[in-house]
């Protein structure tokens, strides 16, 4: 953490009520940013926002389904009234459905579940980028960080086809944004976490997580704060000449 590094920034974090999103919001607050929290769960995002506000941070929050463009549009307008025009967007919201602790194989996956995952993991990133990029273009400055996964680059049996497909698509989406928006002083990068110790880990058997640890050179799970540190780096002045990149936060798992 570098105190004050983001003191001139207005940051929006989606999926901010728990896990990685909550850690990212916390870290940006600690580095001086004004932070907007967006999450589907109204009670959870309010609790997280109030906890940050109790620490003296400048935060606002709204509940919205990131897969719904009109809900995002309404929430972004309200959040901008409270924190100002967003210049740093963290597209973190994502889902990875399980069935009795296991991902559905493609021959059992329902079209409805496929569409739900695409709506949140991929359409959500589009919706918020579409809504917030015009002001970034206008001010000729912006930072967009999209949450991919190691599952977007390699087969990970702990997740299903819809999750891997959307996380791979996020990488392509990020690189396109970097090329399209670079002339306006906007960078776009992606983070690709490995197995991170969040509440989602409880949805799979412990043996499955232990197998991932055994395949990870650092021999441990990652922590949400480590992903948060990477996000803050990619939007900091130190990384102003970095765009279109995918930063793995996976303890070396992809090297196996």
């Amino acid at each position: 953490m570098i105190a004050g590094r983001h003191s001139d920034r207005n940051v929006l974090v989606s999926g901010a009520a728990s896990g990685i999103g909550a850690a990212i919001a916390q870290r940006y607050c600690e580095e001086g940013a004004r932070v907007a929290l967006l999450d589907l769960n109204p009670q959870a995002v309010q609790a997280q926002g109030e906890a940050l506000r109790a620490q003296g941070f400048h935060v606002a929050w709204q509940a919205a389904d990131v897969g719904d463009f009109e809900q995002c549009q309404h929430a972004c307008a309200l959040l901008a009234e409270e924190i100002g025009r967003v210049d740093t967007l963290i597209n973190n919201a994502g889902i990875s459905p399980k069935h009795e602790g296991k991902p559905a194989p493609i021959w059992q996956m329902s079209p409805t579940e496929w569409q739900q995952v695409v709506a949140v993991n991929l359409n959500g990133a589009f919706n918020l980028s579409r809504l917030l990029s015009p002001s970034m273009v206008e001010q000729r400055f912006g930072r967009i960080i999209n949450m991919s996964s190691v599952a977007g680059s390699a087969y990970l049996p702990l997740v299903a086809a819809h999750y891997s497909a959307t996380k791979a698509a996020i990488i392509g989406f990020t690189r396109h944004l970097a090329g399209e928006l670079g002339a306006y002083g906007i960078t776009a990068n992606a983070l690709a976490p490995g197995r991170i110790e969040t509440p989602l880990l409880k949805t799979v058997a412990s043996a499955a997580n232990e197998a991932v640890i055994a395949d990870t050179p650092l021999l441990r799970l990652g922590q949400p704060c480590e992903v948060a540190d990477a996000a803050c780096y990619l939007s900091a002045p130190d990384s102003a000449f970095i765009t279109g990149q995918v930063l793995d936060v996976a303890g070396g798992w992809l090297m196996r």
Side-chain angles (χ1 to χ4, degrees), residues 32-33 46 48 66 73 84 88 91 114 118 152 162 166 181-183 227 235-236:
Q46 179 177 349
Q48 182 65 16
V66 296
Q73 189 172 37
T88 302
N91 281 312
W114 174 276
V118 171
H162 44 31
T166 55
L181 299 174
V227 184
S235 62

Side-chain angles (χ1 to χ4, degrees), residues 7-91:
S7 59
D8 60 341
R9 299 291 182 82
N10 298 333
V11 181
L12 188 148
V13 183
S14 69
S18 64
I20 291 173
I24 291 174
Q26 176 80 36
R27 182 65 83 240
Y28 273 106
C29 284
E30 292 170 347
E31 295 200 4
R34 294 166 292 278
V35 180
L37 286 67
L38 188 65
D39 199 275
L40 179 64
N41 187 320
Q43 292 79 26
V45 74
Q46 179 177 349
Q48 182 65 16
E50 289 176 346
L52 290 171
R53 189 170 286 177
Q55 297 175 59
F57 299 129
H58 186 164
V59 298
W61 57 87
Q62 287 290 325
D65 177 357
V66 296
D68 186 306
F69 185 83
E70 291 185 356
Q71 286 190 39
C72 288
Q73 189 172 37
H74 180 67
C76 286
L78 293 176
L79 290 168
E81 291 177 2
E82 296 194 58
I83 71 161
R85 187 163 61 175
V86 171
D87 53 52
T88 302
L89 169 61
I90 315 297
N91 281 312

Side-chain angles (χ1 to χ4, degrees), residues 92-99 101-104 109 113 116-118 120-121 149 151 156-164 166-167 195 200-201 203-204:
N92 168 72
I95 57 173
S96 181
K98 301 291 189 297
H99 301 271
K102 297 180 180 179
M109 184 179 295
E113 182 176 300
Q116 287 173 338
V117 173
V118 171
V120 176
N121 295 6
S149 165
L156 182 63
L158 295 179
V159 300
H162 44 31
Y163 185 84
S164 295
T166 55
K167 294 305 182 178
R195 206 68 177 149
L200 284 176
L201 263 66
T203 64
V204 301

Side-chain angles (χ1 to χ4, degrees), residues 132-256:
L132 297 175
S133 58
S135 63
M136 295 181 187
V137 169
E138 182 180 348
Q139 66 189 5
R140 305 190 78 81
F141 176 84
R143 299 288 181 263
I144 298 174
I145 298 172
N146 297 319
M147 198 63 65
S148 182
S149 165
V150 292
S153 301
Y155 173 60
L156 182 63
L158 295 179
V159 300
H162 44 31
Y163 185 84
S164 295
T166 55
K167 294 305 182 178
I170 283 291
I171 293 174
F173 179 64
T174 300
R175 288 176 173 154
H176 184 88
L177 290 183
E180 190 171 81
L181 299 174
Y184 301 97
I186 302 166
T187 65
N189 292 289
L191 292 173
R195 206 68 177 149
I196 307 298
E197 198 166 4
T198 70
L200 284 176
L201 263 66
K202 298 177 182 178
T203 64
V204 301
S206 59
N209 291 318
E210 290 167 4
V212 173
I213 292 172
D215 275 345
T216 301
L218 290 183
L219 295 176
R220 66 175 177 86
L221 298 172
Q223 296 301 312
C225 62
E226 293 174 309
V227 184
D229 288 337
C232 284
Y233 168 69
L234 287 176
S235 62
D238 319 56
S239 62
F241 202 54
I242 298 174
T243 195
Q245 301 304 303
V246 181
L247 177 58
D248 297 329
V249 188
W253 184 82
L254 284 174
M255 297 194 305
R256 76 195 196 290

